[in-house]
């Protein structure tokens, strides 16, 4: 039993992230009314059928009327425009929070728009899959995962506590982190791997030395490695553009390591290659 309670929750973007939060809170019995908003009526109808939302509005401004908590879970480049529309319609004392994968740019876009009496708590659940839309949502997505919150000096302590409790109820361990640290860590452990997976699929997929499509020969290794290249292109375009500096820095670091590896292969440095692969294996084994 928990004493945590939300009267009305508005989820803007009822996809994997927003839909899963709605389902987790519904399963925990802590929310009275869940209103969804989004772009296509098809996805919102699906969300209604799957009982992710109690009702939906095509107009996000209508969806936030009377909401105690508004969760933004659309692609990050939409946040500024959406916040500009939603914030004036939110009731005094309500909280706006988000699940966007980038935090610095999101805060720069939303904080200047905040009217008095509305709190903004920037957040990012470290959980996901390569699937999108309401059909991809499931109630246990956040269980035993982390959720990072990146409050700023303007974030009211009470609102931070409410959002912390919300993620705990959804099953996550909440970590409060400084914004720049979040964006650098995520550039390294999430955004860079996605860029590499997309690049690998394109590089191999465009190899036309043979008449056949060589991707048809791909098996476990290639498929495991590139699973995340099936992720939504709009979402990843937005992440790449809004976490540009940290991502470019990590891509340069990666290029340096790849260049060294190429050089060791070219010059037949067997021991160096062995040491490099062993070091990597030990680092990866340790995180599993
Ligand atoms: P998703 O499954 O594609 O859901 C996004 C939803 O937003 C879709 O239902 C879409 O509606 C709606 N939408 C898109 N553009 C919109 C707009 N301009 N106005 C209103 N609604 C709009 O994506 P997701 O994976 O849940 O990601 C949502 C957010 O969570 C992103 O900011 C992402 O960076 C972040 N995030 C993702 C993951 C992950 O692994 N996927 C992990 C952590 C955080 P339609 O279906 O009608 O197009």
């Amino acid at each position: 039993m928990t004493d945590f309670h939300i009267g009305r929750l508005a989820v803007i973007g009822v996809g994997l992230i927003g839909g899963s939060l709605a389902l987790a809170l519904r399963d925990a019995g802590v929310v009275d009314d869940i209103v969804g908003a989004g772009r296509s009526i098809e996805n919102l109808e699906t969300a209604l059928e799957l009982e992710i939302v109690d009702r939906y509005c095509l107009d996000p401004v209508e969806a936030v009327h009377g909401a105690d908590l508004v969760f933004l879970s659309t692609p990050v480049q939409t946040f500024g425009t959406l916040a500009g529309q939603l914030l004036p319609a939110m009731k005094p004392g309500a909280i706006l929070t988000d699940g966007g994968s980038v935090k610095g740019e999101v805060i720069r876009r939303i904080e200047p728009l905040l009217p008095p009496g509305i709190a903004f708590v920037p957040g990012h659940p470290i959980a996901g899959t390569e699937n999108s839309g309401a059909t991809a949502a499931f109630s246990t997505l956040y269980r035993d995962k982390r959720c990072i919150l990146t409050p700023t000096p303007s974030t009211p302590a009470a609102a931070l506590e409410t959002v912390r409790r919300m993620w705990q109820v959804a099953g996550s361990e909440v970590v409060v982190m400084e914004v720049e640290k979040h964006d650098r860590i995520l550039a390294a452990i999430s955004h860079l791997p996605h860029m590499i997976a997309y690049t690998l699929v394109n590089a191999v997929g465009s190899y036309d030395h043979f008449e056949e499509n060589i991707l048809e020969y791909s098996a476990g290794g290639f498929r495991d490695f590139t699973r995340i290249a099936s992720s939504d292109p709009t979402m990843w375009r937005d992440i790449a553009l809004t976490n540009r500096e940290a991502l470019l820095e990590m891509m340069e670091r990666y290029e340096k390591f790849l260049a060294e590896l190429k050089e060791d292969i070219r010059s037949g440095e067997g021991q160096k290659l062995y040491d490099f692969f062993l070091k990597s294996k030990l680092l990866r084994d340790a995180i599993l």
Side-chain angles (χ1 to χ4, degrees), residues 13 15-17 38-40 43 73-75 78 99 101 124-125 127-128 132-133 235:
L16 171 72
I17 294 300
R39 204 168 37 171
S40 71
N43 186 62
S73 45
T74 53
T78 63
S101 306
H124 179 201
S132 304
M235 177 177 134

Side-chain angles (χ1 to χ4, degrees), residues 108 184 187 240-251:
R108 279 190 287 281
R184 283 178 179 273
L241 293 178
T242 51
N243 200 19
R244 198 185 307 223
E245 260 177 53
L247 178 57
L248 287 174
E249 199 179 301
M250 281 315 302
M251 288 172 85

Side-chain angles (χ1 to χ4, degrees), residues 11-20 37-44 58 60 71-79 81-82 85 98-103 106 123-137 141-142 186 190-191 194 227-228 231-232 234-236 238-239 242:
V11 177
I12 314 300
V14 194
L16 171 72
I17 294 300
S20 296
R39 204 168 37 171
S40 71
I41 199 151
E42 293 78 14
N43 186 62
L44 292 167
L58 272 175
F71 183 63
L72 267 185
S73 45
T74 53
V76 284
Q77 290 218 102
T78 63
F79 282 13
T81 308
L82 279 170
Q85 297 166 353
D98 76 298
S101 306
V102 175
K103 297 276 59 87
V106 164
H124 179 201
I126 311 300
T129 72
E130 70 279 23
N131 303 318
S132 304
T135 52
L141 174 65
Y142 303 117
L186 268 294
S190 171
H191 307 170
H194 278 82
R227 176 182 61 80
I228 54 179
S231 303
D232 182 56
T234 305
M235 177 177 134
W236 282 98
D238 284 12
I239 292 171
T242 51

